[in-house]
Amino acid sequence: MSIIKGSAWAYGANIDTDALAPIGSYSGADNIEAGAVHCLRDMDPGFAKGVKEGDIFVATDNLGIGSSREAAPLFLRTLGIRCVVAKSFARIFYRNCFNIGLPALVCPNAAEIAKGDTLAIDTSTGEIVDETQGTTFRCQPIPDHLMSIVDEGGLMPYLEKKLAKSA
Amino acid sequence: MAQTLAEKIIANAAGLDSVAPGEIVTCQVDLAMMHDSAGPRMAGRKLDELGVPVWDLDKLVVITDHYINDDNPEHNGVQKHAYDWVMSHGIKNFIKEQGICHIVLPEGGHVKPGMFIVGGDSHSVTGGAFGTIMVGIGATEMTGVLATGEIWVRVPETVKVDITGNLKPGVSAKDVILKLCGDHGIMGFNYQALEYGGEAVSAMSVEERMTLANMAAELGAKAGYCEPDEKTEAVLTKWGATGIDIQTWRSDPDASYAKTVTVSGDALSPQVAAPSSPENAAPVEAHQGTKLDQAYLGACTGAKLDDLRMAAQVLKGRKVQSGFKFMISPSSLSMQEEARADGTLQILEDAGGVILPMGCSGCIGIGPARLEENAVGISSTNRNFVGRAGPKSSKLFLASPYTVAASAIKGAIADPREFL
């Protein structure tokens, strides 16, 4: 069982990949750290400056709509985000999160989580304890085939292991 | 068991007789496509970290289209890396700066009905126009495909999109898809597969069907496809594909769908999506007269040969408003050449349009078509999210090539039916 505990950054619906990773912020690049400071610059300039290691990103509907660019979840992870919670996800962004080692949880009540709430998330059961509100939110459990990627820390370590086995 | 085309293709790729929506299966991909943005410099580097070769060099196509045709040193670095990676890995299928990947992949004869294809770009769904299931994936996911040739897939529910009747003059596939975005929202069909059919789709050119498939991405769909027919076969044959089977790769007549949604082709009017989402679509009348600073025909969505011809139909013998910026970036080099040969580009230039180098450029805020601070534009591209085609203060309307051309004449949003 692994518990991720941190402070919530709560937003609304339809946060797109152009908001998370504006093109100019990574077009040249190989430097994810330099690009990550532009994450959500047009929507909430305080986010990239304020986010701390271990924080949790919360949104409502359709998080990550738009491009397949992996910089979107990579910027969040680089800034310190350790788990993403949303009422619903755009499909490529959802897969990208797991692939880069960032667990993504589908939480029907995501809109009830407020900015700054302290959350303790059990990724194995999908339970979120909102310590600030004194409430518990239930998420859809992460499917087994994705949990095995989460357990390895992302698709790259998962592939390394798989390829080593088959070699 | 009766199946939709989406289910048939996924079952075939998974080595199963049939699949059901919701089931998670592992598919062997028939083809993988990646471009310069997420390809060699991201997925390619990660593959090298794993220390394994590309699983099948016959099934990978690398295309450069994003950071091309400009003098930005960082972009040139991306190109150099892509070229070096292609050379050092013995990549057999490399399409260098011939146009946008979603267009030049089929133009290169790589696509045919029944294929399960992955592409490292969200608009990869465009390939569905040819009776394939083609899905967009990210760079690490692509690394997994490059290493193993496999990918996990959750079998989508299929939604039938019935486009009835006949589209009227000045109304195109772009208007159909914007109407769907307006009616159902940008997550209206999240995780689902869209099967576009009906009288209007049968009557459409294959390029127009590509527009429908392309913007399945703006409906949240995993895939959007049309069943292949004689038109599909003719176009793919012209582009060099062989072994095309348009009989097998169709939905069974008694297949079941999650639901059916309808667009009345007869009743449809030109649509315009207001800033800053494709779902803000409304009939052109709602925005008629809105002053504009520029108009752009471009991207995988809106500058194919048919798109350029639609604009030319409106602009023939006319001029864009004096001093108004009207830019055209054809979707591919071969389409540009064909439009040059048949006089289409001449009409656009005579009207005051400027032909820009091909590539993704203006759609992603790169190059001369990037919107300036506070500028308002109209474009035949697919997305108008804040910060995509220009700075936060800029605004972008989305419309068909007809409507973009009509708006260029007026320097304001205009109804193309006035000019046809």
Side-chain angles (χ1 to χ4, degrees):
Chain A
M1 188 175 81
S2 100
I3 302 285
I4 297 168
K5 192 168 170 175
S7 184
W9 290 83
Y11 298 97
N14 298 328
I15 298 175
D16 61 72
T17 52
D18 286 301
L20 289 162
I23 286 266
S25 65
Y26 79 104
S27 63
D30 307 316
N31 193 345
I32 291 294
E33 281 75 20
V37 302
H38 298 287
C39 185
L40 295 186
R41 67 182 178 197
D42 292 337
M43 207 181 90
D44 180 4
F47 171 72
K49 289 190 198 92
V51 68
K52 295 181 306 296
E53 177 65 31
D55 283 356
I56 292 153
F57 193 87
V58 181
T60 60
D61 276 313
N62 211 21
L63 176 59
I65 182 79
S67 159
S68 63
R69 70 187 72 142
E70 209 168 63
L74 266 178
F75 282 4
L76 293 176
R77 201 193 65 184
T78 302
L79 292 169
I81 295 293
R82 286 295 165 262
C83 187
V84 180
V85 176
K87 191 174 171 206
S88 64
F89 289 89
R91 54 166 293 278
I92 304 179
F93 179 85
Y94 179 76
R95 295 180 72 119
N96 282 345
C97 285
F98 287 98
N99 291 336
I100 64 153
L102 185 62
L105 286 164
V106 178
C107 178
N109 304 98
E112 294 171 37
I113 298 170
K115 185 179 172 183
D117 283 3
T118 300
L119 307 179
I121 301 178
D122 183 339
T123 51
S124 61
T125 62
E127 195 173 84
I128 301 178
V129 178
D130 186 325
E131 296 181 354
T132 308
Q133 296 187 24
T135 0
T136 298
F137 300 109
R138 293 227 142 266
C139 307
Q140 292 173 15
I142 294 173
D144 291 344
H145 70 292
L146 286 175
M147 208 58 217
S148 56
I149 295 175
V150 171
D151 289 342
E152 295 299 337
L155 186 63
M156 284 295 281
Y158 175 87
L159 284 170
E160 277 167 24
K161 209 168 176 178
K162 186 176 162 174
L163 293 167
K165 256 188 213 162
S166 63
Chain B
M1 197 172 90
Q3 298 197 98
T4 67
L5 178 56
E7 290 154 4
K8 275 191 192 179
I9 292 174
I10 292 169
N12 184 59
L16 301 167
D17 291 334
S18 65
V19 291
E23 201 178 326
I24 289 163
V25 297
T26 300
C27 289
Q28 307 288 324
V29 314
D30 293 310
L31 186 67
M33 181 272 289
M34 61 185 194
H35 55 50
D36 52 325
S37 183
R41 70 173 177 145
M42 292 183 185
R45 280 188 176 138
K46 284 170 184 281
L47 184 75
D48 295 345
E49 279 173 37
L50 291 173
V52 294
V54 173
W55 98 104
D56 187 340
L57 288 169
D58 290 320
K59 293 181 177 170
L60 174 66
V61 183
V62 180
I63 298 167
T64 50
D65 62 359
H66 271 59
Y67 302 123
I68 61 170
N69 291 323
D70 71 12
D71 50 14
N72 178 320
E74 282 188 339
H75 297 177
N76 293 341
V78 173
Q79 295 312 312
K80 176 165 172 25
H81 177 268
Y83 187 69
D84 290 348
W85 191 89
V86 159
M87 290 299 129
S88 62
H89 289 71
I91 302 306
K92 289 185 184 173
N93 304 304
F94 177 42
I95 307 177
K96 187 172 179 289
E97 300 177 24
Q98 297 293 302
I100 301 174
C101 59
H102 310 301
I103 311 300
V104 300
L105 183 77
E107 278 187 337
H110 297 286
V111 174
K112 59 186 179 184
M115 281 182 148
F116 178 79
I117 313 173
V118 297
D121 187 283
S122 58
H123 287 108
S124 298
V125 284
T126 311
F130 307 96
T132 74
I133 289 298
M134 185 160 176
V135 298
I137 61 174
T140 304
E141 188 104 61
M142 182 61 80
T143 310
V145 171
L146 294 178
T148 67
E150 290 179 357
I151 189 166
W152 69 267
V153 175
R154 195 180 82 168
V155 180
E157 294 177 319
T158 307
V159 173
K160 188 179 250 185
V161 182
D162 190 14
I163 304 159
T164 62
N166 299 296
L167 301 182
K168 296 286 175 279
V171 179
S172 68
K174 182 64 176 288
D175 301 299
V176 173
I177 198 77
L178 287 176
K179 171 77 174 150
L180 285 162
C181 290
D183 285 354
H184 302 278
I186 53 169
M187 74 168 305
F189 303 101
N190 209 10
Y191 301 115
Q192 295 175 310
L194 303 179
E195 180 177 300
Y196 301 105
E199 198 180 347
V201 175
S202 299
M204 265 177 206
S205 69
V206 173
E207 285 186 23
E208 280 282 85
R209 295 175 193 173
M210 290 169 80
T211 303
L212 293 181
N214 176 275
M215 285 187 62
E218 279 59 51
L219 290 162
K222 176 177 216 137
Y225 64 88
C226 303
E227 292 177 290
D229 61 9
E230 288 73 17
K231 285 183 187 173
T232 322
E233 188 173 22
V235 167
L236 292 179
T237 303
K238 178 182 149 199
W239 287 342
T242 52
I244 300 160
D245 175 358
I246 60 168
Q247 303 304 328
T248 308
W249 302 110
R250 307 186 65 79
S251 291
D252 292 325
D254 49 348
S256 62
Y257 294 83
K259 61 178 168 180
T260 298
V261 299
T262 304
V263 174
S264 164
D266 293 321
L268 189 65
S269 56
Q271 303 284 304
V272 172
S276 292
S277 174
E279 72 181 15
N280 297 336
V284 61
E285 290 86 350
H287 301 289
Q288 214 161 357
T290 300
K291 293 292 285 175
L292 298 167
D293 299 298
Q294 71 176 58
Y296 179 62
L297 288 176
C300 46
T301 316
K304 302 180 292 308
L305 185 58
D306 281 356
D307 299 318
L308 301 175
R309 286 175 175 161
M310 284 181 227
Q313 238 180 293
V314 170
L315 287 163
K316 193 171 173 126
R318 298 192 171 92
K319 294 270 182 210
V320 307
Q321 207 191 49
S322 171
F324 186 80
K325 282 203 289 188
F326 175 44
M327 293 162 285
I328 303 108
S329 179
S331 302
S332 81
L333 189 60
S334 69
M335 287 176 175
Q336 176 172 321
E337 282 170 355
E338 220 171 321
R340 176 61 72 199
D342 75 4
T344 299
L345 287 191
Q346 195 60 53
I347 293 170
L348 301 180
E349 286 173 330
D350 289 347
V354 174
I355 311 298
L356 302 179
M358 336 142 295
C360 302
S361 62
C363 182
I364 50 175
I366 294 176
R370 180 179 171 81
L371 287 161
E372 290 170 15
E373 289 287 351
N374 302 306
V376 182
I378 192 164
S379 148
S380 64
T381 59
N382 45 53
R383 283 186 193 136
N384 55 350
F385 296 147
V386 173
R388 179 176 174 90
K392 185 183 177 181
S393 65
S394 63
K395 288 190 166 59
L396 185 64
F397 289 84
L398 302 177
S400 74
Y402 288 126
T403 305
V404 169
S407 302
I409 295 170
K410 297 247 175 161
I413 295 177
D415 189 332
R417 293 171 296 190
E418 212 184 297
F419 300 102
L420 293 167

